[in-house]
Structure formats: C-alpha cells, structure tokens
Amino acid sequence: MPNPLIQPYLMFGGRCEEALEFYRTALGAQIEMLMRFQESPDPTPPGMLPPGFENKVMHASFRIGDNVLMASDGCEEGQQFKGFSLSIAVATEAEADRYFSALSDGGQVQMPLAKTFWSSRFGMLTDRFGISWMINVVANECTG
C-alpha cells in the first residue's frame, strides 16, 4: 500500500480569496485550481451556505514551492485555527527574514526570529488570517 499524502486544508470562513492573494504576495504561492460555490456542477443544498456565499471559494489548491495546500471559504463566516502550525524550513537567514516579515504583516509575532540551539534563525507568528507559522533555518548556518 502506498504511503498516504497529507495536505493541509485551510477553511477561511469568507476570506479565502483574500488569503490566497496574501500568500501569493508573501510566499510566492501559485493558485493551481479555484472553484466557487456557484460553479459547482451539483447544487449546494438549501440552507448550507450563508447569504452571499455563492461567489465564495468552494475549493482551491495552491502551491508554495513543492508543497500543495488546499483551501476554502467553508460553509460559515469566521474561522478558528488552533492546535497546529505550518512550518517553513528555509536554507538561509535572508529567506527566514523575508518570509517572517511578509507573513507577520498584519499578524502577531509570538517569538521574534532569533538564534536557537537548533537553528541560526527561528521564529513563530500568527498571520492576519489566524494561521500559526514557524520559520526555521535548517542549513548548517548554526555554529553552536
């Protein structure tokens, strides 16, 4: 049996298109597929969506580097992301600085980028959409 593929699926509660544009700018994300609720070949069951959600994102997939993530507006307004972080492993401190700065714009820093015993640069933040991120330099720049 082949190994399972695990992909994050993020529900943005009405802000998916805004989030996709933010990640395109901040991380170079490339949208591979986007379908709105009104474009579905099957009608949405009555009462499933809040009024005005017809033009919201039913499903999207986007690529950041070699990673594919999926996203949606879901079926209700608002979102809560708790109990997980997306971790970005980079080769240089310059990349860490750039991604950390871009993702923290409009968000909240939990741990500023700093040298740790395992990395020359590590930090944690929550972006403007409530997604928790960890940025980590994994190259051998850390000299102990």
Side-chain angles (χ1 to χ4, degrees):
M1 176 178 218
N3 289 331
L5 175 64
I6 298 173
Q7 294 176 290
Y9 202 117
L10 308 172
M11 303 283 195
F12 288 99
R15 297 181 68 194
C16 186
E17 199 160 4
E18 179 186 353
L20 291 172
E21 178 59 24
F22 176 72
Y23 298 135
R24 187 188 65 74
T25 302
L27 301 173
Q30 298 176 326
I31 299 171
E32 295 187 329
M33 184 271 190
L34 188 143
M35 178 183 278
R36 299 179 189 286
F37 285 102
Q38 66 188 8
E39 298 167 339
S40 173
D42 295 328
T44 304
M48 185 174 167
L49 297 176
F53 256 53
E54 300 80 18
N55 200 37
K56 296 290 185 180
V57 177
M58 181 177 86
H59 174 75
S61 64
F62 62 105
R63 182 175 295 280
I64 300 172
D66 291 334
N67 307 285
V68 175
L69 294 89
M70 296 179 284
S72 175
D73 276 308
C75 297
E76 61 185 323
E77 291 189 73
Q79 77 280 349
Q80 291 209 354
F81 298 105
K82 294 186 180 221
F84 75 95
S85 292
L86 297 179
S87 180
I88 299 178
V90 297
T92 68
E93 291 180 6
E95 286 177 291
D97 293 342
R98 183 174 39 124
Y99 289 139
F100 195 88
S101 175
L103 287 168
S104 63
D105 182 21
Q108 183 175 1
V109 173
Q110 276 78 45
M111 179 180 174
L113 282 173
K115 185 180 184 319
T116 64
F117 69 88
W118 69 87
S119 176
S120 63
R121 189 87 93 236
F122 174 81
M124 299 186 310
L125 64 100
T126 301
D127 71 22
R128 64 177 73 172
F129 301 99
I131 301 288
S132 176
W133 293 88
M134 296 185 294
I135 312 295
N136 192 39
V137 175
V138 294
N140 289 333
E141 290 187 19
C142 187
T143 57

